[in-house]
Amino acid sequence: MAFISLATVVMLFAFLVQQSLSVIAAEKWNFLFGLDWWAGETYGALPMIYGSLMVTGLALILVLPLALGGAVFTSEYLPARYRLWIKGLMELFAGVPGIIYGLLGVALLGGWVKNTFGLIDGNTLLTAALLLGIMVLPTIMTLAEDALHAVPGQYRDTAFSLGLMKWQVVLSAVIPKALPGIAGAVFLGLGRAMGETIAVMLVIGGLDKIPDPWFNVFASGQSIPSKLGREAAEAIGTDLQWSALMALGLTLFLMVMILTFMGNFFLKRAQ
Amino acid sequence: MAKIKVKAPSQSLNAFSTSSETGKTLPPKKKNHLTLPGLENPMVEIENLDFYYGEKQALNDISMIIPKNKVTAFIGPSGCGKSTLLRCLNRMNDLVESARMQGTIKIGGVNMHNSPEDVSVLRKRVGMVFQKFNPFPKTIYENVAYGPRIHGLKNKAKLDEIVENSLKSVALWDEVKDRLNDSGLGLSGGQQQRLCIARAIAVEPEVLLMDEPCSALDPLSTGKIEELAVGLKEKYTIVIVTHNMQQAARIADFTGFMLLGDLVEFGFTDRMFTKPEKKATEDYITGRFG
């Protein structure tokens, strides 16, 4: 089983590399650092790389306190009979297709962002980040809750037996023990957020540009998947544009992998 | 050995009773303190203790005195309530949702109440070692320093001293002093259990509860823990639950035999094992059941 999944990943990776070769040959480093993307002329992916990192990072910053707080509350404080209700609800939300969130984002969230912040257009990086946050919240929360709930009772008992108060037990015994599982939940949420296409595509604005200043999240932008979603159909059959999109896919793939490895590395060091 | 009456502790208000809240009147309870020499110096006084899991009564009207600086063992077949009784002494049963307790338990003459702060103070005074050795996934040092640190001790030198003394008390210091920063989980089973005892005594309790501390250990490690229990009674009052009657015979000064939630017999260990008063005790210790 492990071999099959590893082989699949390796083959996928090789295919992406092979398909990307011609645009890499044509653009060299300009592919990664170029600011302009004009189909048929030049392919600079930096605005999309920026868009993906910005939207995902912002989504996680907004949602992690809520997701992890909710997980701790559900696992440690909520009576057992309510816990399963919450879990069921979260798993239900986690399974809702991205397009549904996308439609809700267009119908409600875009307008809300526009009105709240007094913008001309509600399709912004912030809107995409909020929507992504809402989308990955149930996944992160339910998986983090699983990790907390799986901490053996003996760790709690031991901590209690040393005279600790409930919150001290949770902070000093339960959470550290569950940390690898919680981190796994966050990485899975991160991967899902980075790869989400349709919902982001509908609310991000579709502008291949890094806003000025760069942290202006009220501007429209573009993430890698939304770019791929928009252009893949029209690029089939063209050589360089198709290759550029494949290279974009490869970039996304590497970004998720690098972030996951980095996360694991820091986690190991923290322990 | 002749029995000498000791003065029973004065009737105190029922700290845990829910009966007053429900308005039900309970029949007056008889006192059945065991009256033995050596009990003049009580550490734990249990009076008319009833305990329920939901509707099921797990302990029936237990009254006993556990003397200071002695080893007291609870023996009895599985399900007799000996672990439940032990866990009443540091209120670990509070963590079970359906649990309910009536009666009085005094530790060092002080009656404990229900507020979380009081329970926390109680658990600092009454430490516990569990059946399955369970060091935290931290270093050896951090395992021992854990309790004092969370209770607010910041001074590194003082912490070092506590760690060293605690590890010396459990005869582990010489084995681990050069690798205090290694994981506690890398030790052998017997060492891990001694580390857990060190962790418990690092918060300087007065009573140390041991819930079948050797049941997951080999005979050699068991011997060390038993030796330790006998040595530790100089400073602490030890209460141990064991399946192993020989263990009780080897290390306990006093033994209580429990059956179906009743404390059938309580007294000097050597007397109980040579001349039990009750038929049920005799049947159990001679291996006729259990």
Side-chain angles (χ1 to χ4, degrees), chain B residues 213-278:
Chain B
C214 304
S215 62
L217 297 179
D218 61 89
L220 212 64
S221 307
T222 299
K224 281 194 175 164
I225 302 281
E226 289 179 0
E227 220 173 277
L228 214 58
V230 174
L232 285 172
K233 76 177 176 184
E234 302 283 321
K235 274 184 80 178
Y236 310 95
T237 300
I238 311 272
V239 189
I240 183 169
V241 161
T242 176
H243 253 107
N244 181 334
M245 279 178 285
Q246 281 72 36
Q247 184 167 66
R250 281 193 295 267
I251 67 174
D253 302 297
F254 294 89
T255 298
F257 169 63
M258 295 186 67
L259 189 61
L260 299 171
D262 290 312
L263 180 62
V264 175
E265 191 167 342
F266 179 56
F268 288 106
T269 302
D270 42 10
R271 185 181 171 91
M272 181 172 295
F273 279 95
T274 50
K275 227 177 140 203
E277 284 177 12
K278 302 271 167 60

Side-chain angles (χ1 to χ4, degrees), chain B residues 140 167 172-182 187:
Chain B
I140 294 168
L167 287 171
L172 197 58
W173 176 251
D174 290 332
E175 292 163 52
V176 302
K177 64 173 183 244
D178 299 322
R179 46 177 177 143
L180 290 175
N181 290 319
D182 290 1
L187 299 171

Side-chain angles (χ1 to χ4, degrees), chain A residues 49-179:
Chain A
I49 296 171
Y50 160 85
S52 275
L53 288 175
M54 190 67 184
V55 166
T56 315
L58 193 59
L60 284 188
I61 289 169
L62 291 173
V63 88
L64 275 189
L66 209 60
L68 299 185
V72 169
F73 179 75
T74 310
S75 165
E76 304 301 317
Y77 291 93
L78 207 62
R81 57 184 179 282
Y82 300 120
R83 175 179 173 261
L84 289 180
W85 273 93
I86 296 280
K87 295 286 287 177
L89 211 61
M90 286 298 133
E91 274 148 35
L92 200 68
F93 279 133
V96 172
I99 182 66
I100 309 288
Y101 283 105
L103 291 174
L104 290 173
V106 171
L108 306 171
L109 200 59
W112 181 80
V113 169
K114 184 179 156 193
N115 296 332
T116 308
F117 300 102
L119 308 173
I120 301 164
D121 180 6
N123 292 325
T124 64
L125 293 164
L126 177 67
T127 320
L130 282 171
L131 190 60
L132 272 184
I134 295 169
M135 286 179 71
V136 298
L137 172 89
T139 309
I140 297 179
M141 185 173 146
T142 195
L143 290 176
E145 200 275 346
D146 283 341
L148 290 164
H149 203 73
V151 173
Q154 48 173 334
Y155 286 99
R156 294 183 176 80
D157 284 1
T158 304
F160 275 119
S161 80
L162 293 168
L164 271 60
M165 306 288 281
K166 173 92 181 181
W167 63 271
Q168 294 172 317
V169 172
V170 172
L171 274 186
S172 74
V174 180
I175 291 179
K177 179 74 183 154
L179 208 54

